[in-house]
Amino acid sequence: MDAALPHRVDGDGRTRVSLAELIALGARAGRVKLAPTESRAERSGQQSSRLYGRGMDYAESRIYQPGDDVRRLDWRLTARSGRLHTKLFQEEREGRLLILLDTHASLRFGTRVRFKSVQAARAAAVAAWLAVRAGERVGLMAFGDNDRLLRPQGGVHGALAVCGALADWDALPLTGHAEPLSDALLRARRLQHGASRVLLVSDGFCTDEASRRQLLDLRARAAVGVLVVADVLEREPPPPGRYPLEHAGERRDVVLLGERQRHEFQQALGAGPARLEALARDMGLRCRVLDTRDDPLPAASALLGVARKRR
């Protein structure tokens, strides 16, 4: 990765993504393991299908039923129980995770520890490390200010490729391009590449009316998790005081004294994260809110389904 960018200067981890930090997160992610990838049948609430034949994983044995393949009889269990039993097999599938990363200019904001854009990249990197540790391939699709795509790759190389893309894309200058979430989800569905998991990382300001339908379509094809990245001022009314805010090189002081004034300020500032969180909860999707001070590992682990910690 570095050979392609010999003059790369690593970010500070606060306003710019630090590649070194993203790579270091792999050590912590290596202590946990994801649950097995869900099949489409399991995602729709049905029983997972049992399949017979070679190249399949043994699942369990049950009492023989008319029509069962006699070549799959479990002779040991039959001998012990005195009743015919059939072996059942489950299709072995390679899981794939597609991370959808919001790169709108609204993420270049933060009042505590780091920008939302940096936190989003940290969460995406953790998710990539978790996925490859579980034997999945991982891909990355950016939407918003840039629309780049990193196709799914497996192993440590796959996670490193994601980390490199996160750092490279963050270093690109802002273009001011806006993309509704519904358009990004439609593009993701077309570029899904057989992903069994999809993780959306966004601050929610691009959420539009058509997002629900596109999320429903995507959910029919993959297990969808939503990670809402928010600044603390977008989550809680600030204490009374004078707050310096800078936007597009222009600096202003915002004076917030009364309780109502502070509450209205927080609601306006946090409209995006609140909208996306409400949509995800209403649809029954796995959802976590991550503010810029938090460790991204617990949230990413919960969304991707951690099976157990490695000792």
Side-chain angles (χ1 to χ4, degrees):
M1 293 183 302
D2 290 337
L5 291 167
H7 303 297
R8 174 195 286 155
V9 177
D10 202 17
D12 57 14
R14 297 187 299 275
T15 63
R16 290 294 181 183
V17 169
S18 166
L19 178 59
E21 181 184 17
L22 301 187
I23 294 174
L25 288 170
R28 297 186 58 229
R31 302 190 186 103
V32 296
K33 183 179 180 181
L34 294 183
T37 303
E38 297 173 331
S39 71
R40 186 177 303 172
E42 290 170 322
R43 288 194 300 272
S44 61
Q46 303 171 7
Q47 295 293 325
S48 56
S49 60
R50 301 303 188 191
L51 303 166
Y52 307 97
R54 299 189 180 186
M56 305 298 176
D57 288 338
Y58 171 75
E60 61 183 347
S61 294
R62 61 158 168 76
I63 297 294
Y64 174 85
Q65 297 177 5
D68 284 352
D69 190 338
V70 295
R71 295 172 298 177
R72 300 303 173 191
L73 289 177
D74 187 335
W75 292 110
R76 290 188 178 183
L77 185 55
T78 295
R80 289 200 306 268
S81 66
R83 302 180 65 187
L84 284 174
H85 279 73
T86 302
K87 289 182 178 180
L88 302 182
F89 294 80
Q90 194 163 22
E91 184 181 12
E92 183 180 2
R93 305 182 182 199
E94 179 188 45
R96 292 188 178 191
L97 170 68
L98 177 62
I99 302 171
L100 308 182
L101 180 72
D102 190 342
T103 63
H104 281 97
S106 61
L107 280 98
R108 299 286 179 93
F109 172 77
T111 64
R112 300 290 192 280
V113 184
R114 56 182 64 88
F115 277 6
K116 291 186 290 181
S117 55
V118 175
Q119 184 70 314
R122 295 173 78 235
V126 166
W129 284 114
L130 288 172
V132 300
R133 297 291 185 186
E136 295 182 326
R137 298 171 70 84
V138 60
L140 179 67
M141 188 194 96
F143 67 94
D145 204 74
N146 72 70
D147 59 358
R148 302 201 171 198
L149 174 69
L150 179 69
R151 297 186 183 278
Q153 302 177 57
V156 173
H157 177 77
L160 289 174
V162 169
C163 292
L166 290 167
D168 292 345
W169 298 352
D170 180 75
L172 296 173
L174 291 175
T175 64
H177 175 70
E179 181 178 13
L181 180 58
S182 59
D183 288 356
L185 294 171
L186 177 60
R187 186 156 54 89
R189 185 155 58 87
R190 292 170 176 169
L191 300 172
Q192 194 176 341
H193 298 294
S196 52
R197 303 176 191 259
V198 174
L199 178 63
L200 170 63
V201 184
S202 172
D203 68 354
F205 282 100
C206 58
T207 307
D208 58 342
E209 291 291 335
S211 296
R212 177 185 293 271
R213 179 176 179 179
Q214 294 302 330
L215 277 172
L216 285 171
D217 288 344
L218 192 60
R219 187 177 66 177
R221 296 168 172 79
V224 179
V226 178
L227 184 59
V228 182
V229 182
D231 184 77
V232 64
L233 284 185
E234 297 172 335
R235 298 284 295 167
E236 306 169 2
R242 182 186 298 270
Y243 293 87
L245 297 178
E246 185 174 341
H247 177 68
E250 185 177 351
R251 185 182 179 91
R252 292 185 178 182
D253 285 345
V254 178
V255 180
L256 302 172
L257 299 176
E259 181 178 352
R260 179 178 177 180
Q261 184 185 33
R262 290 183 288 115
H263 182 71
E264 290 177 348
F265 176 81
Q266 179 268 318
Q267 284 192 317
L269 198 63
R275 185 161 60 248
L276 180 56
E277 181 185 6
L279 175 61
R281 304 281 187 197
D282 184 57
M283 293 182 61
L285 300 176
R286 283 185 175 180
C287 179
R288 291 292 186 277
V289 178
L290 181 71
D291 83 31
T292 57
R293 304 166 297 180
D294 293 338
D295 177 0
L297 182 58
S301 300
L303 289 174
L304 295 180
V306 170
R308 63 181 181 274
K309 290 186 177 180
R310 288 179 177 169
R311 296 181 179 179

